[in-house]
Amino acid sequence: MPVPPVTGRLQWTDVPTQLRARLEDALDTPVADTATPAGGFGHQLAAALTLECGRRVFVKAAPDDDPLTPANVHEAAVLAALPPGAPAPDLLGIHSTAGWTAVVIAHLDGPHPDLSPASTDAEQAWALLDKLTSSPAPPSYLAAVSTIPSTAASLHGWDELAADPPADLPAAARDRLQQLVELEALWPAHAHGDRIVHGDLRADNMVRDHHRGVTFVDWAHATTGPACIDAASLAPQLVLAEHVPEDVARLLRDHPATANSPETTTAFLVALAGHWHRDARKPTPPGAPGLRAYQHRAAAASLAVIRLRLS
Ligand SMILES: Nc1ncnc2c1ncn2[C@@H]1O[C@H](COP(=O)(O)OP(=O)(O)O)[C@@H](O)[C@H]1O
Ligand SMILES: [Mg+2]
């Protein structure tokens, strides 16, 4: 397997010639141009291909012995099984050859949404989540996600941080460390449910398509769980996008996805914050240079919301 680049993603020209030829064959026209969108921390190929006919498609690809390939295969199964009207692009195909696998997805045209208070994109994302989680996932989706165990239930971090608190742990965490450990310990019992969970919702895993509006991409972590998971994970993202934590706490109290399960929402947020506070302090993994700095910011943002829910 090629060593992943320490900065940036694999490029179209890194994909074996046989797989490129297979894709061009399946798409019925040669690739004229490729563009790697900003966003994400992965090292795999994730590129918009412009075909000679002018049409665009989106492709994710990696070697078969790269752990991202099973994630891409999972994403393909999920995209094929989401109910009609779900805020996701269509799956166009999946191709394996020469020890690599590529997933071809309908191209969405537009920037990442602006989750700041200046835009209505965050409102759109909340509305999509309220709708997506208002009824149980269909059987096709349950079958698609059943092959991969959900990792959401195993989120934690405060237990490890409390055992040996780092010197730079913020006072807001240090002062209520025992309470955070106890709340986080409640999460696994609340983590199961029958709703669709995207599992990795951030602005860079959404595209504001010119026709469809805000649409969720990167369904590689999709699973089932309680309705609140995606909406609660949007909360720290909104703080990072400069919403004041008080407004975000109000959204959590008001939106059906989170309002109907306040204890589960708090337990999830605390477990997520613990995971970020712990992982942010680990060494940088290869191919993801910005990950730890992001986790530090996300850890602080989630704590700002949690403080309001606990006070
Ligand atoms: N269907 C799509 N159409 C257009 N751009 C997309 C599409 N899916 C993802 N992207 C863009 O590509 C980036 C990387 O894709 P993503 O699926 O998030 O891969 P990764 O798992 O590597 O983060 C996203 O941040 C987004 O900007
Ligand atoms: Mg992504």
Side-chain angles (χ1 to χ4, degrees):
M1 153 186 170
V3 177
V6 281
T7 58
R9 291 183 180 275
L10 292 167
Q11 300 296 311
W12 176 241
T13 45
D14 297 320
V15 176
T17 328
Q18 297 101 303
L19 181 55
R20 281 189 273 156
R22 168 82 68 88
L23 289 172
E24 291 185 326
D25 221 38
L27 293 164
D28 225 14
T29 164
V31 171
D33 197 13
T34 70
T36 302
F41 301 105
H43 54 264
Q44 68 187 317
L45 172 85
L49 309 184
T50 304
L51 310 178
E52 273 186 4
C53 60
R55 182 179 160 223
R56 274 182 294 178
V57 296
F58 188 74
V59 174
K60 294 170 82 164
D64 289 340
D65 56 0
D66 187 312
L68 289 176
T69 287
N72 291 343
V73 171
H74 178 67
E75 176 172 11
V78 165
L79 291 179
L82 281 165
D90 288 336
L91 175 71
L92 301 180
I94 178 161
H95 304 271
S96 291
T97 190
W100 278 55
T101 296
V103 175
V104 186
I105 301 171
H107 182 260
L108 298 167
D109 193 13
H112 294 140
D114 170 6
L115 297 184
S116 80
S119 160
T120 56
D121 289 351
E123 242 169 72
Q124 252 192 69
W126 276 102
L128 291 172
L129 289 173
D130 286 337
K131 183 161 178 252
L132 189 67
T133 59
S134 64
S135 52
S140 59
Y141 180 89
L142 296 177
V145 299
S146 67
T147 54
I148 292 203
S150 166
T151 53
S154 58
L155 276 179
H156 70 102
W158 296 115
D159 49 349
E160 289 178 26
L161 292 162
D164 184 15
D168 63 347
L169 200 63
R174 191 175 285 277
D175 294 349
R176 48 171 70 78
L177 207 43
Q178 198 45 41
Q179 187 184 17
L180 293 169
V181 171
E182 284 164 18
L183 284 167
E184 165 182 274
L186 298 176
W187 167 239
H190 287 280
H192 302 284
D194 61 4
R195 304 304 147 110
I196 291 172
V197 175
H198 174 283
D200 198 15
L201 216 55
R202 305 185 302 252
D204 66 88
N205 283 336
M206 304 180 202
V207 173
R208 192 211 300 129
D209 179 75
H210 294 314
H211 298 291
R212 300 184 52 165
V214 174
T215 306
F216 304 156
V217 300
D218 201 356
W219 288 79
H221 300 277
T223 183
T224 48
C228 67
I229 292 188
D230 285 333
S233 45
L234 197 56
Q237 301 303 321
L238 297 191
V239 174
L240 290 176
E242 294 179 0
H243 288 258
V244 293
E246 286 75 6
D247 286 347
V248 176
R250 201 169 312 120
L251 288 167
L252 287 169
R253 282 197 303 271
D254 289 351
H255 273 275
T258 44
N260 297 334
S261 55
E263 282 173 18
T264 306
T265 300
T266 301
F268 170 74
L269 272 172
V270 170
L272 180 64
H275 162 83
W276 274 333
H277 276 277
R278 184 201 56 196
D279 274 21
R281 292 172 167 80
K282 291 183 177 170
T284 299
L291 181 62
R292 299 305 182 210
Y294 162 74
Q295 287 174 330
H296 269 291
R297 293 197 307 277
S302 53
L303 201 54
V305 177
I306 289 167
R307 280 174 74 178
L308 294 169
R309 286 180 77 82
L310 300 185
S311 58

